Amino acid sequence: AQTVTQSQPEMSVQEAETVTLSCTYDTSENNYYLFWYKQPPSRQMILVIRQEAYKQQNATENRFSVNFQKAAKSFSLKISDSQLGDTAMYFCAFMGYGGSQGNLIFGKGTKLSVKP
Amino acid sequence: NAGVTQTPKFQVLKTGQSMTLQCAQDMNHNSMYWYRQDPGMGLRLIYYSASEGTTDKGEVPNGYNVSRLNKREFSLRLESAAPSQTSVYFCANQGQPGFGYTFGSGTRLTVV
């Protein structure tokens, strides 16, 4: 069974600085998807970024980028120029291909605080 | 606005009471899901439905039942609520596989 591990329960960063959130996963599959979701205090789950495993190029969405290391099964999220609105829980998630493998499996989350 | 709508947003139950959490989508997607979120545990899958009329167990199905009577609605029922079911519940759907889920705004359920 696939597992997702986020080893940093809590992190903090100063406004305008850069922070990296770690995520590792375990799978025997070769093709899959990886995601980062943001959950602000409003509780809403918001998709931040996604990566397809067969693509070597790291995904980027504005200030958010990932470092995808397939061999190491690592998928970290880098937030540049941190803003107060980035304060949230961040969840890393894995999705395989098809059937029950196509369900999202989440890590336990990292609580990020951006300080002014 | 297109999306996933959950009701209610908050609920307090007494142990042994029953209730149904409602979820409806207006995105015409086949797949729908119910997750629960507990502190320090992330989100765990309770049940999912790959299409209208089909449902399957997820990681933590005990104590729950679901119903997918049509493409739009996917409900979660607690027949006899227990304090261990105190949690935040999320409904979600998925369109094209691999593009992530759209989540509802969640239901905070407290069982006393």
Side-chain angles (χ1 to χ4, degrees), chain B residues 6-84:
Chain B
Q6 288 182 237
T7 55
K9 294 193 183 305
F10 300 92
Q11 184 71 47
V12 179
L13 288 178
K14 293 183 179 179
T15 298
Q17 287 185 319
S18 62
M19 79 161 295
T20 300
L21 279 63
Q22 305 287 351
C23 176
Q25 60 156 346
D26 57 6
M27 303 169 75
N28 203 37
H29 289 164
N30 284 321
S31 300
M32 298 187 75
Y33 309 84
W34 277 105
Y35 282 83
R36 62 178 287 173
Q37 181 182 11
D38 302 293
M41 298 296 292
L43 281 78
R44 294 179 292 169
L45 183 64
I46 305 171
Y47 270 94
Y48 66 99
S49 171
S51 61
E52 177 182 346
T54 69
T55 61
D56 285 288
K57 295 178 180 179
E59 179 185 356
V60 288
N62 291 345
Y64 306 95
N65 286 302
V66 290
S67 177
R68 182 86 183 274
L69 294 178
N70 54 59
K71 194 171 187 178
R72 185 171 176 272
E73 297 170 300
F74 187 38
S75 60
L76 178 71
R77 182 161 179 84
L78 287 70
E79 291 291 351
S80 179
S84 61

